[in-house]
Amino acid sequence: MPRRSRTPWRVFLTVLGVLVVGAYLAMLLSNQLSPGITQVLVPPPGEASTNTDLLVQASVLPVVDDATLMANCTSEFGCWVWSVTTQTNCPVATVTVGFSDTPDGASTRTTTRQVAAQAEVPFLIVEEGLSAAPEFAGIQTITC
């Protein structure tokens, strides 16, 4: 009785395996070589996960020049704009801004936003006014 050879199946499975492994390696290599910006919403494990207060050593300056204000503000009630420079890197820094009715009063409302902070690289925080009533604003915390 003649035996059927399984060689075509072995060749087929070998070629299929090589193609799958090649495709996987190509995908890994393309992820390593392609430039791009990845937006991180959660800090990677072990990196800046201790809620470090970045405001202690940060430079926070109000922006008062009209060109910057006009370029970053779309509210009819005006905006507050701050230039912030941190001393350390933080892939996900949470900035909290407090608003009050008096310069030294307790916050009546707060807003938070997440930004990627790079050491010694300034970034802008823009908060739009919500009403024509006088209001005071300031950055309360920057945590990593």
Side-chain angles (χ1 to χ4, degrees):
M1 185 185 261
R3 283 179 57 186
R4 287 178 37 188
S5 172
R6 294 186 182 198
T7 304
W9 281 109
R10 285 185 186 163
V11 170
F12 174 74
L13 291 176
T14 302
V15 169
L16 183 62
V18 168
L19 289 175
V20 168
V21 170
Y24 178 73
L25 291 175
M27 181 182 66
L28 288 177
L29 185 59
S30 71
N31 285 342
Q32 294 294 324
L33 296 178
S34 65
I37 298 172
T38 304
Q39 185 175 12
V40 179
L41 296 178
V42 178
E47 185 177 336
S49 62
T50 60
N51 278 345
T52 305
D53 186 4
L54 298 179
L55 186 58
V56 174
Q57 296 179 350
S59 166
V60 179
L61 301 172
V63 175
V64 294
D65 67 89
D66 289 336
T68 301
L69 289 172
M70 290 176 64
N72 290 284
C73 183
T74 59
S75 172
E76 65 181 297
F77 302 113
C79 293
W80 293 273
V81 180
W82 296 274
S83 175
V84 180
T85 306
T86 60
Q87 299 298 314
T88 58
N89 292 328
C90 179
V92 183
T94 302
V95 179
T96 303
V97 177
F99 300 86
S100 67
D101 297 326
T102 62
D104 297 326
S107 295
T108 55
R109 71 179 172 99
T110 60
T111 61
T112 59
R113 66 183 65 241
Q114 291 183 329
V115 297
Q118 290 183 322
E120 303 300 327
V121 178
F123 59 90
L124 293 180
I125 296 294
V126 179
E127 287 295 331
E128 296 186 344
L130 297 180
S131 72
E135 196 174 32
F136 298 87
I139 295 179
Q140 293 179 330
T141 61
I142 303 173
T143 56
C144 185

